[in-house]
Amino acid sequence: MRKQIAAANWKMNLTYQQGEKLLDDILDAKIGLAAHQHAIFAVPFPYLLMTRSEVEDAKNYHAAAQNCHHKKSGAYTGEVSVEMLHSIGVNYCVIGHSERREYSAETNAMLAEKVNLCYDSHIVPIFCCGEPLAIREAGTQNDFVAAQLKESLFHLPTDKIKEIIIAYEPIWAIGTGKTASTGQAQEIHQFLRSVIAAQYGEENANEIPILYGGSVKANNAKELFSCPDVDGGLVGGASLVAADFIEIIKSLK
Ligand code: PEP
C-alpha cells in the first residue's frame, strides 16, 4: 500500500520545553504504526536534534526541517543548508510551504534547486503546492498547481520523483478553519496524480503520497483521509495539541 503520512508543521510555535512535552505526550500514546504509516514532525531548526532523539525508538516516527536554503553553502548569514540537516541525521524537509512562497518570495525555480539539494543529501522533500483563493474562485486551480509541479519537480528522473512526498495545501484553507470538502480534495489530488502519471507513468504516480493540508482537525481527518487519493495530511494548528494530533495519526488509512 502507498505510504500514509501524518505530518505536523509546528511553524514558529512552541518553546523548546513545550515542544519536548508535546512530543512526549504524543509518543506516550504509543500508537503503533503499520509498515505503510508514518508520523513526521516538522519542527523549528533548534528543536531538530531533540526531536530526532525523541522519535529514535518509535517505529516510523521521523523529524523534519521546515525549510532549507537553495544554495549549497556560503555567505548566507542566518540560513541553514541541506548538508547541515543531513549532518545531524534529518531525513525529511518541507519545501515550498505557501508561507515561505509568500513571505520569503520563494519561486518555483528556487524550489527546484532546494529539491535537487535534498536529493543530493538523501533528504526526502515534502513538496508543498496549492492555489490562493483568487485562483480557486477563477476555477484555474488545476493549471496553477500543475505548473508548480512541472516547474519545481519535472526535471527529476523517475527514481527520484518516486521518493517524493507531495502536500496539496489550498492557501485559502491554511489556518483559516475552512477545509476543502472531501469532493474538492479528492478531485484535485486525483488531478495531481494524473499530471505526475502523464510525465512518469501511472505505476510511479501511484506510489507517491499526496497529503492534504488546510485546517485538518481531529474531527475531519478521518473523512479527508478516506478519499482514495488523499494519503494523510500536513497539519499546522491541530498538530500543536497532543490529543488532536494523536487522533489525526490514528485517522491514517
Ligand atoms: C500548514 O501549516 O501547512 C497548515 C495546513 O496549517 P493548518 O493545519 O493550521 O491549516
Side-chain angles (χ1 to χ4, degrees):
M1 188 177 182
R2 190 159 57 221
K3 277 183 189 155
Q4 303 293 306
I5 298 165
N9 176 14
W10 289 3
K11 311 193 188 192
M12 197 174 72
N13 291 301
L14 307 174
T15 61
Y16 184 93
Q17 290 75 14
Q18 289 167 333
E20 197 168 35
K21 168 138 192 353
L22 177 58
L23 284 171
D24 282 341
D25 290 347
I26 293 169
L27 292 165
D28 280 351
K30 297 201 185 314
I31 312 161
L33 297 175
H36 70 282
Q37 295 174 324
H38 296 261
I40 301 178
F41 298 90
V43 304
F45 291 130
Y47 309 170
L48 276 168
L49 275 180
M50 174 273 285
T51 303
R52 244 208 62 198
S53 91
E54 283 272 337
V55 300
E56 202 158 33
D57 296 327
K59 190 175 149 264
N60 289 0
Y61 286 76
H62 317 272
Q66 296 177 10
N67 179 40
C68 60
H69 198 256
H70 61 285
K71 297 292 176 201
K72 196 171 159 60
S73 63
Y76 300 101
T77 303
E79 297 291 347
V80 173
S81 74
V82 173
E83 220 166 53
M84 291 172 188
L85 297 174
H86 177 63
S87 71
I88 59 164
V90 170
N91 296 323
Y92 296 86
C93 184
V94 177
I95 300 288
H97 191 280
S98 60
E99 287 152 16
R100 294 210 54 87
R101 290 176 186 261
E102 184 181 350
Y103 307 137
S104 303
E106 293 190 352
T107 62
N108 290 341
M110 211 184 264
L111 300 178
E113 290 186 69
K114 294 191 187 205
V115 165
N116 291 344
L117 288 170
C118 282
Y119 281 111
D120 289 347
S121 285
H122 308 286
I123 288 181
V124 176
I126 302 172
F127 180 81
C128 301
C129 60
E131 79 286 354
L133 184 60
I135 295 285
R136 171 64 65 164
E137 284 175 348
T140 53
Q141 65 273 8
N142 285 6
D143 290 345
F144 187 90
V145 292
Q148 288 180 318
L149 293 195
K150 285 177 188 161
E151 290 173 28
S152 298
L153 302 182
F154 281 10
H155 61 284
L156 292 169
T158 305
D159 61 319
K160 294 218 162 84
I161 196 95
K162 272 167 66 173
E163 298 298 315
I164 206 155
I165 298 167
I166 289 174
Y168 166 69
E169 301 203 301
I171 298 170
W172 45 271
I174 297 179
T176 58
K178 244 192 225 172
T179 315
S181 67
T182 48
Q184 285 172 321
Q186 171 55 26
E187 191 182 354
I188 199 152
H189 280 232
Q190 193 174 15
F191 170 74
L192 287 167
R193 204 176 297 288
S194 76
V195 173
I196 301 167
Q199 181 77 7
Y200 294 100
E202 207 166 311
E203 204 175 311
N204 293 315
N206 280 336
E207 281 187 34
I208 296 174
I210 306 180
L211 318 185
Y212 168 79
S215 299
V216 174
K217 305 286 176 207
N219 63 7
N220 62 18
K222 207 165 189 98
E223 200 186 346
L224 283 161
F225 299 174
S226 71
C227 299
D229 284 290
V230 176
D231 305 310
L234 178 56
V235 186
S239 74
L240 302 173
V241 179
D244 291 356
F245 198 60
I246 287 169
E247 212 41 53
I248 290 168
I249 298 173
K250 286 181 177 168
S251 302
L252 289 173
K253 288 196 279 270

